[in-house]
Amino acid sequence: MEAISSVGSTDFGPSRYARVAQIEAAQRVAEITALQEPKPPEAVSIIRDLHMARYALLAVDPGRNDVISAAVAAYNRATRVLNVVSPSGAMLPQLRG
């Protein structure tokens, strides 16, 4: 009987999936915000940053804390702007990296 190999390099914890879900919620708010008139000048860059943050969190190895921190920082920058300009008054929470 062969031993089961270690899965220590895979992150099955809820924190990654919770972060991705929060980023997806922020993406929806950003897309709605980008449709308002007058358009916030940051709308396109916010949507781009959130897409990149989501991609980074899904693609990164769990040991790459620098990539995770960069994704969390991009999300936090986007939510600071969205919390001010969002027409729905959505208050998106900040993530801890």
Side-chain angles (χ1 to χ4, degrees):
M1 178 178 265
E2 294 181 27
I4 297 173
S5 62
S6 172
V7 292
S9 64
T10 305
D11 179 19
F12 292 109
S15 63
R16 175 184 282 190
Y17 302 112
R19 287 175 178 162
V20 170
Q22 286 180 308
I23 289 171
E24 289 171 351
Q27 284 176 320
R28 287 190 293 277
V29 171
E31 289 164 359
I32 292 167
T33 302
L35 296 175
Q36 74 182 8
E37 291 295 334
K39 293 185 183 215
E42 308 89 355
V44 173
S45 64
I46 290 171
I47 293 171
R48 185 193 66 232
D49 287 348
L50 290 171
H51 282 291
M52 293 306 295
R54 181 180 177 277
Y55 176 77
L57 281 179
L58 291 174
V60 72
D61 290 331
R64 295 290 310 269
N65 289 333
D66 56 335
V67 175
I68 293 171
S69 295
V72 168
Y75 169 85
N76 288 339
R77 277 192 308 275
T79 57
R80 279 193 296 275
V81 173
L82 286 174
N83 286 340
V84 172
V85 300
S86 175
S88 65
M91 291 305 293
L92 298 163
Q94 298 284 304
L95 291 177
R96 289 189 291 176

